[in-house]
Each structure stands twice: as structure tokens, then as C-alpha cells.
Amino acid sequence: MSHSLRDRASNQYCAVLGAEGVGLGRWHGSQHQWLGSRAFTCEAAQPAWQAALQALSALLAEHAVRGGQLQVLLSARYSRFCLVPWSDAISHPRELDAYARACFENLYGQSLDDWRIVLSPEPAGAARIATALPDALLQGLQALGQESHLRLRSVQPYLMAAYNRCSAQLQAGDFLFVLAEPRRSVLLLACGGAWQQVLAQGCADSDQALQALIERTCELYGEQMPQVYLHAPGRGDVPQLAAVQLCQPASETDPLCAMWRAVA
């Protein structure tokens, strides 16, 4: 995976769009400042990202944000993930995009014409992790940036930011990387130096629920359990699981702030 969140100049803002709230942090030189968060609720017929954009607009106005650069981290609630196997028949980026869309449609059972797909860079012969984001969400973020005179510098699933930050702690070999966001977890299984599985699903914020999810995913691996790495930024306590704890931030009462600090 790629997409680093480096090169921070003055007036750099980072918004975290969580499952039930949005948060905003600022970098000014070498200083980090958490500005706050705002909860939202969704109507049954309303996409979650619409409520998130409305909350972010209010948060930007509350802190009188005018000018600078904006980076956005997206909860897994706003993303879809899919494993795209290697194919020798693919020779052009347009073919790869069409192939990835076919993989998504096969997995989710619906067209993703209104979604933007990004694939992880992998060596020839290896499967890729594909991420789909709603075009309307990306356009809404662009419009919000223009309203506040912010240059939208990057929009990134929190999964990518967390994996990039934690990857140096992962040892070579087979492993399961688990991102436990509040109420939702994403699991990446790597075997033989290549991605084998990506799974995102709702999960209660308890050790028992997370352990059961990990065990079900490891059943795909075979008899020997892979090394499990866990990043749980939204948890107020340290999960008591047989896993290597990654990037565990200081205790935060606001899970959005914990997510921001974990990759700041």
C-alpha cells in the first residue's frame, strides 16, 4: 500500500470521517493540535457520507478554517475492499480498472459505476488490494475544500494510513493485519509474500467478538496460525488478545482523536 501523509507545511488540516462522527486535527509546523469532533446521525434513506459531509462542514465553520491544505481519512464505513487476483491477460490500466470492477461486482452483487477504485501497487504475479470510494463523497469533499479555501491534498481510507504507519513493525512471513475501528474491523491476510484475503465487516467492540472474527479469518489460512498484528485506535483499553499490538496511542476519550494521533 502507499499514499503517505507526509510533507506537512503550515495550516495543514486532517479530517477523520468516522462511522458516527467527524473529527479535525491541525499541524502547524511541528505542533499537533486536535481541534475537536462532531457526531452525526443518518436517516434511513440517506447515505452515511452525506451526514458526514454536513458534520464536517459545520466543524470547519466552527473553527473558522480558511486556507491551507486538507487531508481526509475515511472509516471503513465509507469504503469497500476487494482482492483482485493477478491476471496475465491484463496489459493496460483501463483493462485493470475494468477487471477490478468486475471483481467488486462479483463480490458485492451490484455495479460500482459511481465509485472510484484504487489498487495497491504490487509486484507482477501478486494479487492487489482494491479500494472503492463513492464518487459523490469525493466530489463533496472537493466542494467543501473550495468553500473553506482548502486544497484537498489526499483522501485515504484509514486502513491505508494505518497499514503504512505500522508496516515497519511487521516481520517477514505470513501474517494477519487487523484494523479494529469502532464497530467495524478490516482484516488483511498475507501468505507467501502476497495478499490472500481482505475482509471488512461490522464487529462489536469487545475482545470476544474480535477474537471470534480473527479465528474465522485464520481458518482460511490452514492448520498453522499466522502471526496476528492488531491496530485498535478506537479502543479505550488494550485488547487482551494473542496479537502484537501496533501503534497503540495514549488513551483518548474521543476515538476519532485516537485514530488521528495513531497516524499523525
Side-chain angles (χ1 to χ4, degrees):
M1 293 186 182
S2 60
H3 310 299
S4 175
L5 298 180
R6 299 291 182 179
D7 187 25
R8 296 164 183 154
S10 298
N11 296 321
Q12 294 257 355
Y13 297 91
C14 179
V16 182
L17 271 61
E20 298 176 331
V22 300
L24 186 67
R26 177 173 63 188
W27 294 289
H28 186 77
S30 60
Q31 297 181 341
H32 296 180
Q33 180 184 11
W34 178 248
L35 298 178
S37 61
R38 178 179 289 260
F40 64 81
T41 56
C42 297
E43 297 180 2
Q46 180 187 39
W49 58 262
Q50 287 186 356
L53 288 179
Q54 293 168 2
L56 179 57
S57 177
L59 195 58
L60 291 170
E62 176 185 341
H63 294 280
V65 174
R66 301 292 289 179
Q69 298 186 43
L70 177 66
Q71 301 166 355
V72 181
L73 299 175
L74 299 176
S75 162
R77 182 176 187 181
Y78 310 103
S79 310
R80 292 183 177 179
F81 304 100
C82 180
L83 185 72
V84 179
W86 172 262
S87 173
D88 291 326
I90 304 297
S91 60
H92 192 276
R94 285 197 298 270
E95 294 176 344
L96 181 59
D97 181 77
Y99 177 50
R101 289 182 184 278
C103 292
F104 269 106
E105 291 173 7
N106 182 62
L107 178 63
Y108 289 94
Q110 65 183 79
S111 172
L112 291 182
D113 290 340
D114 297 329
W115 294 63
R116 191 172 307 178
I117 295 177
V118 180
L119 293 104
S120 64
E122 307 295 343
R128 299 170 183 259
I129 299 296
T131 306
L133 303 172
D135 268 327
L137 168 59
L138 300 177
Q139 293 168 7
L141 289 169
Q142 188 72 49
L144 274 183
Q146 292 174 353
E147 291 174 6
S148 299
H149 300 282
L150 293 168
R151 183 171 73 86
L152 186 60
R153 183 160 166 259
S154 68
V155 179
Q156 187 179 44
Y158 186 77
L159 173 66
M160 287 185 175
Y163 180 83
N164 289 340
R165 177 54 61 92
C166 298
S167 60
Q169 302 176 56
L170 275 57
Q171 298 180 359
D174 301 351
F175 65 86
L176 179 66
F177 176 80
V178 182
L179 169 61
E181 295 182 8
R183 299 197 179 188
R184 194 164 187 84
S185 294
V186 187
L187 300 92
L188 296 173
L189 178 64
C191 304
W195 297 118
Q196 300 295 322
Q197 178 75 9
V198 56
L199 173 67
Q201 70 175 60
C203 181
D205 297 330
S206 69
D207 291 354
Q208 294 79 6
L210 191 55
Q211 183 66 52
L213 181 59
I214 290 172
E215 290 176 355
R216 289 197 301 271
T217 305
C218 287
E219 289 177 359
L220 301 172
Y221 179 79
E223 296 182 359
Q224 185 178 0
M225 289 276 289
Q227 177 64 64
V228 178
Y229 296 93
L230 174 65
H231 176 47
R235 293 281 294 268
D237 58 337
V238 176
Q240 301 301 308
L241 303 176
V244 177
Q245 308 287 329
L246 297 173
C247 301
Q248 186 67 27
S251 177
E252 296 283 354
T253 57
D254 187 339
L256 296 169
C257 181
M259 292 172 73
W260 175 73
R261 291 192 186 282
V263 299

